[in-house]
Amino acid sequence: MKTYRITLNLESAFATPLKGDALFGQLCWAIRNRLGENRLTGLLDGYTRGQPFAVVSDAFPQDYLPLPKLPGRFYDKIDGIDRKAIKKRCWLPEEAASVPVTQWLVQAKTASDVIGQVKNLSEKHPQPHNTINRQTHTTGEGGFAPYSIEQEWFVPDIAWSIYLLLDTDRLSLDDCRQCLEDIGNIGFGRDASIGLGKFSVIGFAETTLPGQAGANACLTLAPCAPQGLGFDGKNSFYQLFTRFGRHGDIAVHQEGKPFKNPVLLAQTAAVFAAQPSASGFIGQGIGGNGKLSKTLSATVHQGYAPSIAIHLQERI
C-alpha cells in the first residue's frame, strides 16, 4: 500500500467529527455511488481478513500529529509550567516525530501555538431544529418537540491533513480522489443535506509517515480495534470509547433500522507495544455476514488505523 497526504480546506460547520473510521464509511458510499455496488463489493473482499483496500486517518491540523497521552514518566519534565498548561500541549509537529519520545512533550504545541491568537481550533455551538406536525402546522411534544444539534465551527484559513494508505492496484488514485471530492461536495456526516460537512481537496500527494529506529510500539492515527491481536497490554496505552454507528446514504431509508451494532474501539493516538507492521497499519476489519448490521449484512467498519513506528523507552 502507498501512503498519501490529503490536504483539505473546510468550508462549513460539521456535525460529525472528521474521524478515520467515519471517513472510511463515507468513502465506501462514495465508491458505491460513483463506481457501482459491484465495484465496492470487490474492494471489500478480504476486508475482515487483514486485506483492506484503504485505511484512513483522522483529520489533523496540517503538519501536526496527535500527541499520545502517555503516563508522565515517559516524557521529560517541564519545569515552571502548571499541569493545566501541560495538558493543553496536544499537537506534535510532524518534524518532531523522529526525535525520542521522551522529548515529545517539550516539543508539543497548544492549539493557540498552532493557529496564533485563537485559543481553540474550533468552537461548538448548538443549532436549533424543528419538526413540524403537518396536521397542526406547528411543533409539539414527542417526535415534534424542538431540539438542537451541536455544530463544530473550525478556525478559517487552516488546512487539515488526512493520511491515507491505499492499494492502488485495487482502487486507482484518480478514482479515490474523485470519490473524496464527491464527499466534500455533498457534505460529510450528519446534516449534510442542510449544508454541513463541506470541504474541498486542495492537495493529494504521496508521502512517507515518520518513524523511529529500533521501534517497539505503534502510535495510531485513527480509532482502531485492537481486541485479540496479542498486543502487550501492560505496555500499551489507550482510551476506549463505544462507536454507536448508523447507516448513511440510502441505507437510512431501507427496511430495518438505521443503527449498527455498537463497536468498542481504542481512541486515536493510542500506543500499542508491538513490532510495527510493514503494512503501515494495525487493527482489524469489523463486521460482514450480518455481524454489524441487520439492515445491510455486508456492512463493515474500519477497525484499522495508520500507525507510526516509535521507540517507547520505559522510565521508572
Side-chain angles (χ1 to χ4, degrees):
M1 301 180 82
K2 296 181 179 179
T3 304
Y4 296 91
R5 183 204 305 269
I6 303 165
T7 307
L8 306 181
N9 179 43
L10 308 186
E11 299 177 342
S12 73
F14 284 69
T16 300
L18 281 162
K19 307 292 287 185
D21 56 333
L23 282 162
F24 174 79
Q26 197 149 345
L27 174 61
C28 288
W29 278 113
I31 292 170
R32 184 260 184 200
N33 292 337
R34 175 166 286 277
L35 305 178
E37 189 166 346
N38 290 338
R39 182 68 185 284
L40 175 61
T41 300
L43 289 171
L44 292 177
D45 183 36
Y47 186 81
T48 58
R49 301 191 301 275
Q51 302 169 23
F53 71 92
V55 181
V56 190
S57 81
D58 293 4
F60 308 117
Q62 188 175 31
D63 299 326
Y64 287 88
L65 298 168
L67 180 73
K69 292 180 174 60
L70 292 170
R73 67 180 184 273
F74 287 98
Y75 294 132
D76 292 339
K77 292 184 179 180
I78 303 177
D79 296 326
I81 300 180
D82 62 35
R83 186 176 178 181
K84 289 184 178 179
I86 289 177
K87 288 179 68 176
K88 292 180 180 179
R89 295 183 172 220
C90 57
W91 297 110
L92 181 71
E94 191 172 316
E95 65 268 16
S98 59
V99 306
V101 173
T102 55
Q103 300 176 25
W104 278 9
L105 185 59
V106 175
Q107 299 281 344
K109 307 296 183 182
T110 67
S112 59
D113 293 330
V114 173
I115 56 179
Q117 302 297 318
V118 184
K119 292 183 178 180
N120 298 302
L121 293 169
S122 64
E123 292 185 354
K124 295 182 179 180
H125 302 285
Q127 175 63 49
H129 285 252
N130 292 318
T131 300
I132 302 298
N133 185 328
R134 298 305 175 186
Q135 293 181 326
T136 63
H137 302 288
T138 185
T139 58
E141 298 180 352
F144 298 105
Y147 62 98
S148 63
I149 297 294
E150 193 171 67
Q151 296 181 355
E152 187 170 14
W153 294 84
F154 291 88
V155 173
D157 301 323
I158 296 294
W160 292 74
S161 294
I162 292 171
Y163 297 93
L164 170 70
L165 305 183
L166 181 66
D167 185 343
T168 53
D169 291 333
R170 300 168 67 186
L171 181 65
S172 73
L173 191 61
D174 288 341
D175 283 343
C176 184
R177 176 166 185 159
Q178 182 60 66
C179 288
L180 288 168
E181 290 177 346
D182 289 346
I183 296 171
N185 292 332
I186 295 170
F188 168 78
R190 186 169 189 170
D191 285 346
S193 61
I194 58 173
L196 270 63
K198 298 290 194 298
F199 63 80
S200 57
V201 177
I202 58 176
F204 203 124
E206 190 170 355
T207 188
T208 301
L209 286 172
Q212 298 183 345
N216 60 3
C218 300
L219 169 65
T220 64
L221 301 183
C224 71
Q227 299 93 321
L229 297 181
F231 297 131
D232 180 358
K234 292 183 179 180
N235 295 300
S236 297
F237 305 92
Y238 50 90
Q239 296 177 326
L240 294 176
F241 76 103
T242 303
R243 171 70 77 195
F244 295 96
R246 59 182 297 164
H247 288 292
D249 209 87
I250 63 170
V252 174
H253 309 292
Q254 292 186 8
E255 184 178 353
K257 296 181 179 180
F259 301 102
K260 305 174 188 176
N261 295 334
V263 176
L264 187 65
L265 299 172
Q267 188 57 272
T268 306
V271 172
F272 293 104
Q275 288 299 317
S277 170
S279 66
F281 63 84
I282 64 172
Q284 59 193 305
I286 305 171
N289 298 320
K291 296 178 181 178
L292 190 59
S293 169
K294 295 181 180 179
T295 302
L296 292 175
S297 63
T299 298
V300 296
H301 190 93
Q302 179 179 280
Y304 301 104
S307 62
I308 293 176
I310 64 173
H311 178 73
L312 200 60
Q313 179 181 347
E314 179 63 42
R315 309 179 87 191
I316 307 299

